[in-house]
Amino acid sequence: MHDRYDYDALVVGSGPNGLAAAITMAREGCTVLLLEAKNTVGGGMRSDELTLPGFVHDICSAIHPLALASPFFKELELDKKGLEWIFPPAALAHPLDDGSAALLQTSIEDTAQTLGQDKQRYIKLMYRLTGAMKGTINDLLAPVHFPRHPLAMLQFGWRALLPAATFARRWFQGDAARGLFAGISAHAIAPLEHWTTAAFGLLLGAAGHVNGWPLVKGGSQKLADALAAELRSLGGTIETSVSVTSLTQLPKARAVLFDLSPRQLDAIAADHLPASYRQCLQSHRHGPGAFKIDWALDGPIPWKAKECLDAATVHVGGTLSEIAASERAVWTGEHPERPFVLVVQQSLFDPSRVPAGKQSAWGYCHVPNGSTRDVKDRIENQIERFAPGFRERILARSVMSPREMEEYNPNYIGGDIAGGALDPWHLFVRPLGRWKPYATPLKGIYLCSASTPPGGGVHGMCGYHAARLALRERF
Ligand SMILES: Cc1cc2nc3c(=O)[nH]c(=O)nc-3n(C[C@H](O)[C@H](O)[C@H](O)COP(=O)(O)OP(=O)(O)OC[C@H]3O[C@@H](n4cnc5c(N)ncnc54)[C@H](O)[C@@H]3O)c2cc1C
């Protein structure tokens, strides 16, 4: 460490990207201080008793295909720090009104069996994609660059550029396969008629076969705790309950990495940043918000399609047309009567999260950014549609509107859980239209949150890439 500095590296915010940035620096021998506003670490990986005593709920993220695929997390032996993955028999269930359900399972053939007339087309598609995926995951979770495996990338390439609705209608014929693909693609949090939304359906779908969609035993918080333990074992220091509001309050460090939204960086560094860059930070666009509910339940959700009990994640929204209409409405500022709802039923596979004999569930739907409308009944009506009697099992619920989500974590502006709108341009060059997206005009100051490439989700790759840049530039 240089005498002029208190630390080599300072990281603000302990989400997956903040922790990844801190660990990356500490692994290179840097002295690291991580500052976190809340009294626990984890950002979008926290869990807590939100409803009743003994019911542990994931406050934000619940399902972790991206964490499992993350090349950076793979380098860490997090199992030695207490992390245990749970793989449900199926990654995802997608129920339909006729009482059937499409089921995304590890086996491509078993999945295809649930897709009726589209069986062979699904097998053909997924064999190609899963083969390609093994060679491309590092490319996919990196900033814009020329791919190391260009041919494998091409397997995704042309299809991934398409709107999800167009791809699903051209490639599949039945409601099951089209609905399954639409639900996965809706993780784009954008209209399924938008270019590149097919990428989400293809990538997350293929990930279901290659890695699975696991959850963390005991709650997502255990992943945060394992990362924090890794940082401490490398000599890093973590201070919680420190809300950073100004650059002047920070100890001196050679590199400072902010796991924060562009808007927060603008407020914190306002006096030091050039006006043009501040304009870029302020104009960072945010996508729709999320309205979330956690339920303590007296028993499992009574799905009409019993196969839904084999999957931790259930996509509740029906057909491609319905899901597309729901996402389109949200994008244009409306609240659909029948929203597309993402449900996770962790306790079915992890009884450690609930008292004996009880269950819990987690669910959210997209709503316009900053919405103040209560859509609790619409969410529960949708679940009731595919699981009659669901409401009778509810013991307690905890509701988080977009505004409450932003109060909980100022990175979720207007309830946007992805760090920015996921449109094609934004997706690749977020947040600032620069080819060196983590750097700022201030020497030694970096942005490393989900508002930088490769974007939202728990994978830590934004933090890792930002820290690598800081190491190159500052050490
Ligand atoms: C409801 C919901 C469901 C989700 N589901 C999933 C899922 O199933 N799978 C998945 O992969 N992803 C999911 N996500 C997305 C995922 O949680 C985020 O993309 C991810 O956490 C972003 O990580 P990050 O490190 O960039 O920031 P964050 O996780 O947001 O962490 C930022 C940290 O900075 C702290 N902080 C903020 N301001 C300050 C300040 N001024 N001073 C000090 N500290 C500060 C915050 O308290 C927080 O701890 C979900 C998110 C939400 C909200």
Side-chain angles (χ1 to χ4, degrees):
M1 188 182 67
H2 196 285
D3 285 339
R4 281 166 51 216
Y5 299 106
D6 302 312
Y7 294 92
D8 292 323
L10 195 68
V11 178
V12 180
S14 70
N17 290 310
L19 283 160
I23 292 169
T24 304
M25 304 299 284
R27 288 175 103 197
E28 295 297 325
C30 294
T31 53
V32 179
L33 173 66
L34 175 66
L35 299 174
E36 165 56 48
K38 291 238 171 297
N39 61 5
T40 56
V41 292
M45 302 178 288
R46 292 195 185 89
S47 311
D48 206 352
E49 291 186 345
L50 298 177
T51 53
L52 298 173
F55 288 83
V56 176
H57 301 276
D58 291 327
I59 302 173
C60 303
S61 67
I63 296 293
H64 294 289
L66 297 174
L68 194 71
S70 164
F72 177 65
F73 287 175
K74 272 194 189 139
E75 286 177 15
L76 313 174
E77 293 181 319
L78 295 176
D79 51 332
K80 294 192 178 145
K81 300 283 187 295
L83 175 68
E84 271 183 72
W85 292 115
I86 293 177
F87 292 87
L92 163 71
H94 189 108
L96 294 167
D97 282 316
D98 64 4
S100 67
L103 216 54
L104 176 63
Q105 301 158 82
T106 311
S107 155
I108 294 174
E109 285 78 9
D110 290 350
T111 304
Q113 285 293 354
T114 70
L115 302 178
Q117 72 221 75
D118 289 308
K119 180 177 163 186
Q120 290 308 334
R121 294 186 70 73
Y122 186 84
I123 291 174
K124 188 173 162 199
L125 174 70
M126 279 301 161
Y127 265 109
R128 277 194 202 150
L129 293 186
T130 51
M133 190 164 195
K134 287 167 193 151
T136 54
I137 194 69
N138 285 19
D139 283 324
L140 295 166
L141 288 176
V144 171
H145 65 293
F146 189 77
R148 288 193 185 87
H149 301 274
L151 289 178
M153 281 292 275
L154 271 178
Q155 290 292 341
F156 282 97
W158 67 268
R159 298 181 182 93
L161 295 176
L162 292 175
T166 307
F167 179 81
R169 289 200 175 96
R170 285 199 191 150
W171 194 267
F172 300 121
Q173 285 161 0
D175 280 347
R178 284 180 173 178
L180 180 73
F181 190 80
I184 305 176
S185 302
H187 285 255
I189 323 182
L192 302 188
E193 294 79 14
H194 278 195
W195 292 97
T196 69
T197 45
F200 287 79
L202 298 168
L203 286 170
L204 286 173
H209 297 299
V210 174
N211 288 316
W213 289 15
L215 51 132
V216 179
K217 186 171 179 193
S220 296
Q221 180 71 54
K222 301 283 184 194
L223 173 56
D225 294 347
L227 289 164
E230 174 74 12
L231 176 59
R232 289 194 182 100
S233 75
L234 293 164
T237 306
I238 300 176
E239 284 181 21
T240 54
S241 305
V242 181
S243 180
V244 174
T245 52
S246 159
L247 285 185
T248 54
Q249 95 190 67
L250 298 175
K252 288 200 169 46
R254 193 180 275 271
V256 184
L257 296 105
F258 286 96
D259 182 17
L260 304 183
S261 64
R263 203 176 289 181
Q264 280 218 80
L265 177 63
D266 176 52
I268 289 169
D271 297 340
H272 307 267
L273 290 168
S276 59
Y277 187 76
R278 290 196 65 196
Q279 177 64 38
C280 285
L281 292 173
Q282 288 160 8
S283 57
H284 182 68
R285 273 189 304 116
H286 285 276
F291 187 102
K292 178 170 181 265
I293 313 181
D294 287 279
W295 297 274
L297 300 172
D298 205 14
I301 300 178
W303 300 108
K304 273 195 279 187
K306 294 294 167 236
E307 310 89 286
C308 293
L309 295 171
D310 285 338
T313 306
V314 185
H315 283 165
V316 178
T319 62
L320 161 66
S321 303
E322 282 182 277
I323 296 169
S326 168
E327 295 306 298
R328 205 165 46 238
V330 169
W331 195 260
T332 54
E334 293 165 32
H335 296 77
E337 196 56 47
R338 288 179 143 195
F340 169 62
V341 182
L342 298 94
V343 174
V344 174
Q345 35 190 13
Q346 297 96 324
S347 60
L348 281 179
F349 312 98
D350 182 5
S352 75
R353 296 175 182 227
V354 286
K358 305 297 178 202
Q359 295 290 339
S360 64
W362 162 120
Y364 72 88
C365 74
H366 303 141
V367 289
N369 189 284
S371 159
T372 52
R373 177 102 42 106
D374 182 351
V375 296
K376 169 175 67 65
D377 289 340
R378 295 182 189 195
I379 289 180
E380 291 182 357
N381 287 345
Q382 278 286 66
I383 300 176
E384 192 74 30
R385 172 180 159 199
F386 296 96
F390 166 66
R391 277 205 175 88
E392 286 150 38
R393 303 237 162 132
I394 300 175
L395 299 171
R397 62 169 78 70
S398 156
V399 173
M400 221 174 176
S401 67
R403 182 179 294 167
E404 287 159 335
M405 208 160 273
E406 186 175 337
E407 277 165 18
Y408 169 72
N409 180 347
N411 279 12
Y412 301 142
I413 290 169
D416 169 5
I417 66 172
L422 297 172
D423 59 35
W425 176 247
H426 230 203
L427 197 63
F428 294 112
V429 296
R430 56 174 37 208
L432 306 167
R434 295 162 55 118
W435 293 105
K436 211 176 178 190
Y438 312 101
T440 73
L442 299 181
K443 203 167 158 191
I445 303 271
Y446 301 87
L447 197 57
C448 72
S449 69
S451 295
T452 61
V458 173
H459 45 68
M461 294 308 289
C462 315
Y464 168 78
H465 290 301
R468 297 303 316 172
L469 179 67
L471 283 164
R472 279 199 303 278
E473 288 189 346
R474 301 289 293 155
F475 293 90

